[in-house]
Structure formats: structure tokens, C-alpha cells
Amino acid sequence: MKLKSNTASVPKQTPSTLELEHELKATADIEDYFEKHSSNMLLRSLPEHLKMLLDQKGISRADVVRNSLLNRTYVYQIFDGRRMPSRNKLIAIAFGMQFSYFP
């Protein structure tokens, strides 16, 4: 007798950052990748998301500046939406917010 699997009752898991990273590196079409993962994409601006993260972690912009070793004015411009940071600056801000990355 063959058992029928009931996949409808199993909740879909959100892919890990590492899984998304591997898939992104392997993708041939970035538009397909974005479409496939649209449910995992942010629906807010970077400044809105940064503010939410500050609130969640209970830290201030000054803490981020101190911990990121970035220029104070530059960090405040990012938080205000007047500057768009590079990948490396975002990583510095993530460290400034005391996030870590474990592959």
C-alpha cells in the first residue's frame, strides 16, 4: 500500500540567508530570482527598515555610529534616506547594530 503524503499541512519554511545567497549566486536571471522570492523581500524603504531594527534592538543611531566606525554625518544621512550606502557600508552598519553573520 502506498501512503499519500499530505504536504498541505506542512508550513513552508523561509529559506535561510545562506540558502538565498547560494541561489542568488547560481541564478542566471535576476528577475526570476526576485519573482520567486518576492514574499521574502522588504516592503519598506531602507530608512524605515533601519528604524524598525533600532527599535527592536533598543539601540540608538549614536550607538550604530560608535560601533560601525563610520562617519557620524554619513550614518545619519543613510538613516534619513539622503544617502544610499554601498554593500560594505551596510555591512559596517550591520556590525554597528551588533548583528553577526554565521554561514
Side-chain angles (χ1 to χ4, degrees):
M1 175 195 309
K2 188 173 184 180
L3 295 176
K4 187 177 180 181
S5 75
N6 184 0
T7 57
S9 64
V10 178
K12 184 179 176 185
Q13 290 185 329
T14 303
S16 71
T17 302
L18 188 58
E19 291 168 330
L20 291 171
E21 179 184 0
H22 286 301
E23 191 173 333
L24 181 58
K25 287 179 179 177
T27 193
D29 186 348
I30 194 69
E31 294 299 326
D32 287 342
Y33 177 86
F34 285 140
E35 186 175 321
K36 181 178 178 183
H37 296 289
S38 63
S39 64
N40 296 321
M41 303 289 175
L42 294 178
L43 299 177
R44 61 184 74 84
S45 69
L46 178 61
E48 291 169 333
H49 192 70
L50 290 172
K51 168 109 173 66
M52 180 198 70
L53 293 171
L54 286 178
D55 292 343
Q56 283 179 353
K57 293 197 64 73
I59 60 175
S60 68
R61 291 179 183 191
D63 294 326
V64 175
V65 170
R66 202 171 17 263
N67 296 328
S68 69
L69 304 177
L70 295 174
N71 177 278
R72 178 187 175 276
T73 302
Y74 183 75
V75 172
Y76 277 70
Q77 288 172 342
I78 292 168
F79 275 86
D80 292 338
R82 292 181 283 142
R83 297 284 299 260
M84 183 54 71
S86 67
R87 175 188 172 275
N88 289 344
K89 300 297 186 197
L90 273 178
I91 291 171
I93 288 173
F95 283 121
M97 296 179 91
Q98 300 173 346
F99 289 108
S100 58
Y101 173 71
F102 297 102

